[in-house]
Amino acid sequence: MSDRAEIAHLLKRTSFNVSLKQVEELTALDWEQALNVVVDKAAPPQVIGKPNFRNYYLSPDDEDEDYDKDFYLMVEFELARLANPIGGLGDRMLWFWHGLITSGYSEVDVSPLLYRQHKLLAKHALGNFREMMIDITTDAAMLTYLSGDGSTGDAPNENYAREVMELFTLGRNNYQQSDVKAAAKALAGWYLKAYPSKSGPFDPNRIKAFFDPESAYNEPVTYLGVTAKFDVPAIINQIFKQDACATHTAKKIFQHFVHSDPDEKTIHSLGAVFRNANYEIKPLLAAIFRHPDFLSSKARATRIRLPLEILLATAAAFSMPVADLDHYTYFNATKHWIFDPPNVAGWPLDNRWLSAPQALARISLGLTAFELPNRNSAVQAISQAKEPVLEALKQASLYEVSTTTLNEFNRVASSISSSQTRAKALLALAIASPEFAIS
Amino acid sequence: MKTISSPFSFNRRDFLTINSVGLAALLLRGSFSTKADKLSKGPRRLVVLEMNGGNDGLNTFIPYGLGAYYDRRKDLAIAQSQVLPLNSKWGFHPALPRLKKRYETGQVAAFLGVGFPGKQELSHFAMQDIWRSGYLTGFYDKVQTGWLGRLLDQIAEPTIPLAGFTLAASVSPAMFSQADKNAASEYIDSTSLEIPPELTNILRNSFQKMAIANKTDNPVLKVARRGMVNSLPIADLLSKVGKPNSAYSQTYTGYALAFTAQILAANDWIRVVHVPLPLDFDTHVDQLSRQQANLSELDTALESFLNELERLNLADQTVVVTTSEFGRRVSDNDGDGSEHGTDHGTANTHFVIGKRVKGGMYGDSPSLTKLDSNGNLIITQSFQDLLATVAEGWMQASAREVVPGGKVQNIFS
């Protein structure tokens, strides 16, 4: 038997929602067995099929309204996929990678290309980090987003060369400005072919990345201490030879799943695990979730939730399809559109997500509980329960709440006589509670 | 350009606890200005436009009478025939006819050679940090307040829950303050509180109660609660704000300024509106066409905004100031073909616009021949002077506390 609270904590960090049923099932196991089920045996994200893209190319002179339609279709498709069945560790990792190795609609008009990158990240999400980086360097969406497409040896573009080190792998101060210039040269010569010349139906699968030796740099460069002619795999391999690669990435993953402030010893040892596993992601995750910090008070109820996570948890609390929630308004208000990070830094996990505008957006989202029909199963469950407050907390997967929040639940419950209205008010309150913004 | 925002964290010593009676009082319409104001009705307001990316000031307020301008800029210079001339030496970018007209009526002060007086770092991240903090050392984990936040801490009415508004999804670091009377929203309809009327009091009461700190809260829960304190006041303010004027809100900049006008018109709460302009000024490539598009959108929107302020009887009380993390390199970056653009620079020209502004040029124009080791202009006045001037000269705060080190210029009548 495991401790229920610890199991709930583990499930909160390794999925997009936690049902009481899951808690019961895992509590019956011992802790190591539970980790085995949830972490070691986590399935890769299942990204099957695709949104019903229009596959209509718009030349730069055309209005881009129809490009928006494809983008929204893709967002809805992914939200539905994450909600049912509720995404587990594979999907949590997929969206971690999206926030680290970024690309977005702000620069990549053609959503099928973003979707292609999404499948690439899904393929590697619980696989191998080095292979992921090699593949994504010549991914069509990435070549567009960070200006690799059309970067020539004569005028190499430094955008990807800088961000691949600063943000995606090594972190600041672990490379020189000369390395950025060198990588830009070595990565020059790639371009995307088969864009249509005018508006009309097209097959986005035809848009592919090609290497043109004529426009490449073709001379040796000195990169991270080594002078040679580098191709894409060689550049990535050279990055991965740096100690910082494993420690920087291990730290980011730790911060995403455990807490924001790991000590040097922890980062160092997790980096070693990652390096020794040849950058296989699962062994690192196995070590992270077994680290003593995971169950420490530093990690309990301290993980700030991102709007994507809050949206999915709200749909689960309301026992409703996520498509029926107004994600459009919510993502606009929180500036957290999936597939469209505000900039290349993604969605940093910091206090901005707890600020007043974010709180207001969450309260507003929660108030849509009043639009639920009386026959909704969450409303029914709460209105028919002997203890509506406890039932509402269970529905919202709020297994530990402060006395302040509990007092308000009790106050609201006793102020409303209609059982259905009471149920909806309690659901709204659950989403509004500060605890709902934290995992 | 990819901007990386500063980490968002703030500490508040006190926070407002609102009981339901107090809240009801705050919801009453009406003016809260108590300071006797010699000028027409209502308190003074400041609108800060942030031109992120680094606008090219040299092609905005153009020393076209100098040969060196054409020598240095070559293909990037604005042709003499296109410049909108003020006199034989200076003129405006062709996309700014309306701003030029205002300048000629004496409502625009042009601050020349404005920039960071220290070692030039030429990084968006570092320089935005420094401008927003108002300190030469930037935020750098030690400082938790921005210059506009410190301004509001001084002048905001204690009984009003909100005093600053950022026209974006989150509060700008420039607005971080002790009292945190901050609102933020990018759209007028981004959030509304639709509560069944019979439950309004109960639920609002609960939302407020959940915002009150509890001794047992862990640090993250503490921050989550604090975030809820301003959430209802923001919703209440937005419910009073009228729809942005459709006559000019089709462009993103027009929308932002039309929204700003409505925020100022709704009541006297908001004293400072911070508007990060939805335009990318980081013109590494295609500078001529991109700056033309940017300045054109700004000129039209700004003129409509200023006219609307007049109609709303707010023009006497409102001043607009531009900011930008840096200007741009004097010479073009040697792109081949028509891709001419500029790298990051230093000194810039910034504008202060208002009916009480004593129009004209302030400060010395930087030399186009004696440049620094990066080929950049050497600044002639500190950005702190620009900020101090509007903070004290217009908003009547103490510049020494808001922007220590900044010299207040006498530009208001």
Side-chain angles (χ1 to χ4, degrees):
Chain A
M1 280 288 279
S2 292
D3 180 282
R4 277 179 105 250
E6 290 178 354
I7 291 291
H9 167 64
L10 174 65
L11 284 169
K12 274 197 218 169
R13 297 292 167 92
T14 55
S15 73
F16 278 103
N17 192 61
V18 183
S19 75
L20 201 54
K21 184 161 167 286
Q22 281 175 296
V23 175
E24 313 274 75
E25 283 171 5
L26 283 184
T27 306
L29 307 173
D30 69 35
W31 182 246
E32 183 55 36
Q33 286 174 314
L35 284 174
N36 194 252
V37 168
V38 167
V39 178
D40 305 332
K41 293 209 174 71
Q46 303 296 301
V47 180
I48 299 158
K50 60 178 167 38
N52 202 10
F53 291 125
R54 288 185 87 244
N55 294 338
Y56 190 90
Y57 181 71
L58 291 165
S59 82
D61 307 319
D62 262 323
E63 294 279 298
D64 61 2
E65 188 211 292
D66 281 350
Y67 273 154
D68 282 355
K69 288 206 184 93
D70 273 354
F71 174 76
Y72 293 136
L73 274 177
M74 182 172 61
V75 169
E76 284 156 21
F77 191 83
E78 175 64 5
L79 287 176
R81 188 190 74 80
L82 285 172
N84 194 12
I86 200 79
L89 184 56
D91 286 304
R92 291 292 300 258
M93 275 307 289
L94 173 56
W95 281 96
F96 163 78
W97 292 121
H98 267 297
L100 182 71
I101 323 289
T102 50
S103 296
Y105 183 56
S106 62
E107 301 288 338
V108 185
D109 289 335
V110 180
S111 291
L113 297 183
L114 285 172
Y115 194 72
R116 189 192 297 175
Q117 188 192 84
H118 179 61
K119 293 189 82 151
L120 190 164
L121 289 176
K123 174 177 166 199
H124 294 294
L126 293 180
N128 189 286
F129 182 41
R130 190 214 311 265
E131 282 172 32
M132 178 193 292
M133 290 312 302
I134 292 175
D135 281 355
I136 207 160
T137 300
T138 56
D139 164 71
M142 181 59 78
L143 283 171
T144 309
Y145 189 66
L146 289 183
S147 328
D149 174 23
S151 169
T152 61
D154 287 337
N157 189 294
E158 292 179 9
N159 210 354
Y160 184 76
R162 183 182 313 109
E163 309 300 5
V164 72
M165 288 190 290
E166 181 178 336
L167 293 177
F168 301 169
T169 57
L170 300 176
R172 288 168 88 175
N173 302 321
N174 287 314
Y175 56 91
Q176 315 277 2
Q177 181 59 22
S178 57
D179 294 317
V180 174
K181 288 183 151 51
K185 288 177 180 156
L187 293 172
W190 285 90
Y191 69 106
L192 293 175
K193 213 157 77 159
Y195 273 103
S197 54
K198 59 185 204 296
S199 302
F202 82 122
D203 177 8
N205 294 324
R206 296 190 56 228
I207 298 177
K208 288 194 167 75
F210 288 87
F211 180 72
D212 174 18
E214 304 259 313
S215 47
Y217 185 69
N218 291 320
E219 299 291 317
V221 297
T222 302
Y223 184 59
L224 294 172
V226 170
T227 306
K229 279 182 76 173
F230 287 86
D231 60 7
V232 170
I235 286 285
I236 299 300
N237 282 330
Q238 189 60 20
I239 290 175
F240 276 64
K241 287 205 182 92
Q242 314 305 308
D243 280 348
C245 182
T247 46
H248 178 257
T249 312
K251 181 179 180 183
K252 291 255 162 172
I253 299 176
F254 184 96
Q255 287 172 319
H256 196 81
F257 288 102
V258 184
H259 65 72
S260 59
D261 190 28
D263 60 34
E264 284 303 312
K265 195 157 154 282
T266 299
I267 299 166
H268 192 77
S269 72
L270 290 173
V273 167
F274 202 23
R275 216 174 289 119
N276 293 336
N278 202 17
Y279 301 98
E280 287 292 315
I281 293 155
K282 280 190 121 169
L284 174 62
L285 290 173
I288 284 174
F289 284 98
R290 285 173 173 84
H291 191 282
D293 275 16
F294 182 68
L295 288 176
S296 74
S297 61
K298 271 181 99 171
R300 307 295 285 269
T302 58
R303 176 20 171 101
I304 298 168
R305 273 193 181 179
L306 293 170
L308 169 66
E309 297 159 15
I310 290 176
L311 183 82
L312 290 167
T314 301
F318 291 1
S319 289
M320 75 190 289
V322 70
D324 291 350
L325 270 182
D326 185 1
H327 67 268
Y328 182 91
T329 302
Y330 184 61
F331 282 164
N332 269 345
T334 55
K335 225 11 179 230
H336 189 289
W337 277 96
I338 53 173
F339 301 110
D340 193 21
N343 55 58
V344 69
W347 303 289
L349 268 178
D350 58 32
N351 287 348
R352 77 187 68 187
W353 306 111
L354 299 176
S355 64
Q358 297 283 336
L360 179 55
R362 186 182 78 248
I363 293 171
S364 201
L365 183 71
L367 286 171
T368 60
F370 289 105
E371 292 165 25
L372 294 170
N374 287 345
R375 65 175 186 281
N376 167 282
S377 59
V379 173
Q380 296 245 308
I382 298 168
S383 61
Q384 289 163 13
K386 247 195 243 149
E387 298 185 67
V389 167
L390 290 183
E391 186 61 33
L393 289 169
K394 268 196 289 182
Q395 272 292 131
S397 302
L398 286 172
Y399 299 120
E400 286 169 34
V401 291
S402 57
T403 43
T404 311
T405 296
L406 194 57
N407 287 345
E408 293 317 306
F409 268 75
N410 285 326
R411 186 205 310 274
V412 166
S414 59
S415 310
I416 303 173
S417 48
S418 150
S419 60
Q420 283 106 349
T421 309
R422 179 190 311 135
K424 294 172 193 176
L426 290 176
L427 284 170
L429 209 58
I431 312 309
S433 69
E435 287 91 340
F436 202 76
I438 304 167
S439 155
Chain B
M1 173 208 70
K2 306 287 183 280
T3 20
I4 301 175
S5 323
S6 304
F8 183 116
S9 67
F10 57 89
N11 260 313
R12 290 182 58 209
R13 282 202 302 262
D14 312 294
F15 52 87
L16 206 59
T17 55
I18 312 171
N19 61 33
S20 51
V21 172
L23 182 67
L26 292 171
L27 288 180
L28 290 172
R29 278 183 167 277
S31 167
F32 282 88
S33 67
T34 54
K35 283 206 177 101
D37 208 304
K38 261 192 273 184
L39 306 173
S40 42
K41 39 198 172 305
R44 296 183 175 192
R45 331 295 271 276
L46 181 65
V47 176
V48 181
L49 305 183
E50 203 180 54
M51 303 166 94
N52 281 314
N55 178 48
D56 186 306
L58 208 46
N59 276 9
T60 303
F61 196 72
I62 308 169
Y64 79 101
L66 289 180
Y69 170 72
Y70 289 100
D71 292 338
R72 293 278 178 177
R73 285 232 137 163
K74 302 193 172 54
D75 291 329
L76 214 52
I78 305 291
Q80 190 154 352
S81 57
Q82 304 228 300
V83 171
L84 302 177
L86 291 168
N87 51 40
S88 58
K89 185 156 175 233
W90 293 92
F92 271 96
H93 186 287
L96 297 169
R98 300 162 190 85
L99 183 61
K100 176 196 180 241
K101 199 148 164 248
R102 284 212 181 241
Y103 185 94
E104 285 169 330
T105 64
Q107 293 178 42
V108 181
F111 275 60
L112 306 177
V114 178
F116 176 63
K119 181 166 182 293
Q120 301 299 334
E121 214 194 299
L122 309 181
S123 138
H124 291 296
F125 175 70
M127 289 310 305
Q128 282 170 353
D129 222 50
I130 284 170
W131 269 81
R132 290 167 182 165
S133 73
Y135 291 139
L136 298 178
T137 47
F139 284 102
Y140 296 141
D141 291 337
K142 295 210 168 50
V143 174
Q144 303 292 343
T145 59
W147 74 282
L148 291 172
R150 291 191 295 279
L151 169 62
L152 289 173
D153 279 339
Q154 272 203 24
I155 65 169
E157 294 287 344
T159 53
I160 304 180
L162 299 171
F165 202 108
T166 305
L167 235 299
S170 50
V171 175
S172 167
M175 301 279 244
F176 288 178
S177 64
Q178 296 285 3
D180 188 31
K181 292 171 183 279
N182 274 311
S185 187
E186 200 175 348
Y187 309 102
I188 188 172
D189 52 4
S190 57
T191 42
S192 59
L193 295 187
E194 300 194 5
I195 314 176
E198 71 276 13
L199 297 179
T200 301
N201 285 340
I202 301 167
L203 285 180
R204 289 182 65 111
N205 206 298
S206 287
F207 297 153
Q208 285 156 236
K209 288 264 168 23
M210 291 197 291
I212 299 174
N214 197 304
K215 270 193 290 271
T216 59
D217 290 345
N218 73 30
V220 180
L221 188 55
K222 248 202 193 70
V223 178
R225 281 204 207 281
R226 275 197 222 111
M228 293 182 70
V229 172
N230 283 347
S231 50
L232 293 191
I234 293 174
D236 294 337
L237 175 62
L238 286 177
S239 70
K240 294 192 190 48
V241 173
K243 268 197 159 35
N245 188 333
S246 59
Y248 63 105
S249 54
Q250 286 80 22
T251 65
Y252 286 114
T253 306
Y255 183 92
L257 290 179
F259 188 11
T260 300
Q262 294 302 320
I263 290 164
L264 295 174
N267 55 27
D268 287 345
W269 285 13
I270 302 301
R271 304 292 304 277
V272 177
V273 181
H274 186 264
V275 186
L277 290 175
L279 299 166
D280 183 356
F281 290 92
D282 190 32
T283 48
H284 285 281
V285 289
D286 289 338
Q287 176 163 312
L288 288 174
S289 60
R290 286 175 59 194
Q291 201 188 25
Q292 166 74 30
N294 285 345
L295 293 182
S296 176
E297 183 167 315
L298 178 59
D299 194 57
T300 332
L302 187 55
E303 180 67 13
S304 299
F305 172 68
L306 294 169
N307 288 338
E308 178 152 40
L309 288 184
E310 195 68 60
R311 281 194 300 277
L312 293 169
N313 226 343
L314 294 167
D316 285 344
Q317 299 306 98
T318 309
V319 157
V320 179
V321 63
T322 67
T323 61
S324 192
E325 68 264 41
F326 39 60
R328 302 201 76 85
R329 201 69 51 89
V330 177
S331 304
D332 84 30
N333 61 10
D334 211 22
D336 48 3
S338 64
E339 286 198 359
H340 300 284
T342 47
D343 283 316
H344 301 170
T346 49
N348 213 340
T349 302
H350 283 295
F351 302 105
V352 185
I353 306 161
K355 290 175 77 173
R356 302 260 168 238
V357 168
K358 295 190 286 193
M361 296 191 282
Y362 290 85
D364 298 319
S365 133
S367 165
L368 288 179
T369 46
K370 229 171 50 188
L371 305 174
D372 73 12
S373 57
N374 281 318
N376 277 320
L377 299 168
I378 296 172
I379 70 152
T380 56
Q381 57 183 320
S382 168
F383 76 103
Q384 289 189 312
D385 298 346
L386 174 71
L387 305 188
T389 298
V390 295
E392 187 169 303
W394 183 246
M395 298 303 281
Q396 300 169 313
S398 157
R400 231 190 23 221
E401 289 173 36
V402 176
V403 194
K407 289 190 279 295
V408 179
Q409 309 243 28
N410 181 353
I411 74 164
F412 297 102
S413 63

